[in-house]
Amino acid sequence: MERIETFSEEETFALGEKIGREAHPGQIYTLLGDLGVGKTVFTQGVARGLGISECVCSPTFTIVQVYEEGRIPFYHFDVYRIGDIEEMDEIGYEDYFYGEGICLIEWANLIDELIPKERIQITIQKNMEKGFSYREITIERGMGYEK
């Protein structure tokens, strides 16, 4: 497990960018954190690290957004509004999870039973005592979520 502290949006973006540069096809990143914690900023960094220049925003209502302009395809999921796990079947999630790109899944704990155990779990947390822009980012590899 790795813990990283960031003190600005730019540092959170830069960490995501580093992860994007190091990403390999077939990897699944799960992203956890409360609303407003910086998941989208982090994700934008990952996209930049993959060589994606188009605007990346959270696909809250479409569930998945596909970006193919980078060095490997990027599948960005936001499952916050998923009403029934069967909705994942309807969008063909297996094609993405087991495809040639990387997946980043926001609110992944809501569909944990569908996600392979070999994943990289990223948790972003605020601590207002350390400042408004402070974030603690935890990276854990190859695990499921605790129930």
Side-chain angles (χ1 to χ4, degrees):
M1 178 168 42
E2 182 179 4
R3 282 202 169 90
I4 299 154
E5 295 178 308
T6 64
F7 296 89
S8 67
E9 280 190 15
E10 293 79 15
E11 288 182 8
T12 300
F13 180 95
L15 177 61
E17 188 174 16
K18 178 182 184 285
I19 287 173
R21 281 193 310 270
E22 296 171 356
H24 301 288
Q27 288 182 315
I28 296 177
Y29 295 84
T30 60
L31 188 54
L32 303 176
D34 293 335
L35 287 169
V37 80
K39 293 185 300 295
T40 299
V41 168
F42 179 86
T43 301
Q44 290 167 339
V46 171
R48 177 71 55 83
L50 290 168
I52 296 166
S53 59
E54 67 183 279
C55 181
V56 173
C57 53
S58 202
T60 302
F61 295 100
T62 57
I63 301 177
V64 65
Q65 183 67 45
V66 176
Y67 302 92
E68 295 185 339
E69 73 167 288
R71 63 181 178 82
I72 53 177
F74 180 41
Y75 311 126
H76 179 203
F77 288 81
D78 182 333
V79 297
Y80 182 73
R81 296 199 185 280
I82 203 151
D84 188 319
I85 202 131
E86 290 175 6
E87 290 178 55
M88 293 298 292
D89 286 328
E90 293 170 15
I91 63 166
Y93 77 92
E94 289 179 325
D95 293 338
Y96 301 110
F97 286 12
Y98 302 101
E100 292 302 311
I102 72 158
C103 292
L104 187 144
I105 308 162
E106 295 187 42
W107 303 99
N109 54 309
L110 299 175
I111 61 163
D112 182 54
E113 60 267 31
L114 299 179
I115 303 171
K117 295 302 178 201
E118 283 302 312
R119 63 183 82 171
I120 300 165
Q121 178 178 303
I122 299 168
T123 305
I124 304 176
Q125 296 177 309
K126 290 183 184 181
N127 182 340
M128 294 306 283
E129 291 177 10
K130 293 188 177 188
F132 179 76
S133 296
Y134 172 87
R135 300 295 185 267
E136 181 179 280
I137 302 172
T138 306
I139 302 172
E140 301 174 82
R141 298 178 187 278
M143 56 172 295
Y145 301 102
E146 293 180 16
K147 298 290 182 199

